[in-house]
């Protein structure tokens, strides 16, 4: 025969159940926070409970036009890559607490993240553009910001369609450009600080005949490759002694490669509008450090 629980026991059961519900809810919230930018347009603001803050990025999925069936798999894969990039950036925030100078987070985390996102959204645009109109302006969704308190981002900063106006990486206006219009071995000139210089494959010499309609855009992007190398060389000097043994690769050479991937893809796209798109330019993106 069943017996009713005494009032005291009822209260204990109720409290225990409530505590379990709170704990479960907290676990779900924490798990959701780490998901980052979801491919279905859900919150683009990846969050962790770490003190250094969390990364907040505009939502890309919600800004895409109708995706052709032939491009769906590639687009989905790259949207997932955006999520992974945010999760990795949040992990770096935690792993590098206290490292570097006042611009460390901008130069070593947010800047590289933006470069990766530029390359990824360009891949998305290219995939769609193969069988439909290529979406324009996705690059404006690449910059992310740091929520310094680890709390909610300011209104309009997550998946709102307007790109966040995070401070861009320092640009060296009028940075040295290679004499040939391309990046032909830029960064080979040596450096009195002993930081070394960046050496990159020449892109201009590997291009096919450039249609007249694409010449201005190709030239502009070749000059951008030169400027990227000049900026990387400046960062080598400015950050001497910072970070651990992998600092140069993670904070300078890796981000430079991401920028170059995005730039050579723009060059290939410009040529491909009126001629055969050159293949394999991505293989010229990686650079090395020359001491």
């Amino acid at each position: 025969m069943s017996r009713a629980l005494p009032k005291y026991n009822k209260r204990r059961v109720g409290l225990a159940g409530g505590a379990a519900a709170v704990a479960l809810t907290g676990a779900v919230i924490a798990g959701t926070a780490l998901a980052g930018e979801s491919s279905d347009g859900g919150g683009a603001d990846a969050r962790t409970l770490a003190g250094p803050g969390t990364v907040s990025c505009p939502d890309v999925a919600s800004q895409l036009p109708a995706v052709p069936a032939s491009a769906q798999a590639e687009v989905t894969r790259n949207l997932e890559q955006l999520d992974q990039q945010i999760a990795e950036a949040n992990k770096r925030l935690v792993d590098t607490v206290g490292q570097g100078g006042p611009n460390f987070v901008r130069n070593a985390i947010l800047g590289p993240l933006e470069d990766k996102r530029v390359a990824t959204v360009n891949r998305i645009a290219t995939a769609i553009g193969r069988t439909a109109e290529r979406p324009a302006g996705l690059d404006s969704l690449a910059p992310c910001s740091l929520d310094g308190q680890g709390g909610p981002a300011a209104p309009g900063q997550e998946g709102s369609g307007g790109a966040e106006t995070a401070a861009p990486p320092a640009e060296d206006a009028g940075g040295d450009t290679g004499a040939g219009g391309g990046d032909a071995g830029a960064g080979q000139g040596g450096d009195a600080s002993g930081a070394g210089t960046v050496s990159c494959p020449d892109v201009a010499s590997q291009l096919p005949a450039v249609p007249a309609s694409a010449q201005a855009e190709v030239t502009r992007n070749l000059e951008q490759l030169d400027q990227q190398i000049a900026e990387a060389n400046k960062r080598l000097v400015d950050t001497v002694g910072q970070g651990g043994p992998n600092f140069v690769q993670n904070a300078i050479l890796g981000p430079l490669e991401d920028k170059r991937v995005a730039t050579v893809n723009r060059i290939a796209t410009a040529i491909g509008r009126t001629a055969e798109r050159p293949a394999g330019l991505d293989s010229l993106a990686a650079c090395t450090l020359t001491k």
Side-chain angles (χ1 to χ4, degrees), residues 70-172:
S70 59
Q72 188 64 62
E74 187 173 354
V75 169
T76 298
R77 182 168 62 252
N78 280 287
L79 288 172
E80 291 170 349
Q81 184 65 30
L82 290 173
D83 291 335
Q84 183 177 346
Q85 290 163 0
I86 295 174
E88 291 169 352
N90 277 319
K91 183 176 185 298
R92 288 192 193 104
L93 282 173
V94 177
D95 293 346
T96 59
V97 170
Q99 288 190 18
N103 295 319
F104 178 84
V105 170
R106 174 71 251 172
N107 292 335
I109 297 178
L110 292 182
L113 175 60
E114 179 178 347
D115 297 334
K116 288 181 180 180
R117 284 172 61 86
V118 167
T120 305
V121 297
N122 272 314
R123 288 195 295 269
I124 291 173
T126 298
I128 294 173
R130 290 192 187 103
T131 53
E133 183 178 358
R134 179 187 171 96
L138 292 185
D139 284 5
S140 67
L141 304 176
C144 300
S145 64
L146 178 65
D147 170 18
Q149 301 301 319
Q157 288 191 344
E158 44 182 279
S160 60
E164 289 179 17
T165 55
E171 297 288 340
D172 296 327

Side-chain angles (χ1 to χ4, degrees), residues 203-262:
V203 173
S205 65
Q206 303 303 311
L207 297 180
V210 178
S213 59
Q215 188 64 61
E217 186 172 356
V218 169
T219 298
R220 184 167 61 250
N221 280 286
L222 288 172
E223 291 171 350
Q224 185 65 30
L225 290 172
D226 291 334
Q227 184 175 347
Q228 291 163 1
I229 295 173
E231 291 166 358
N233 279 322
K234 183 175 186 299
R235 289 193 189 107
L236 281 173
V237 176
D238 292 345
T239 60
V240 169
Q242 289 188 19
N246 296 319
F247 178 84
V248 170
Q249 179 58 47
N250 294 336
I252 298 177
L253 292 182
L256 175 60
E257 181 176 353
D258 293 332
K259 287 182 179 180
R260 285 171 61 85
V261 166

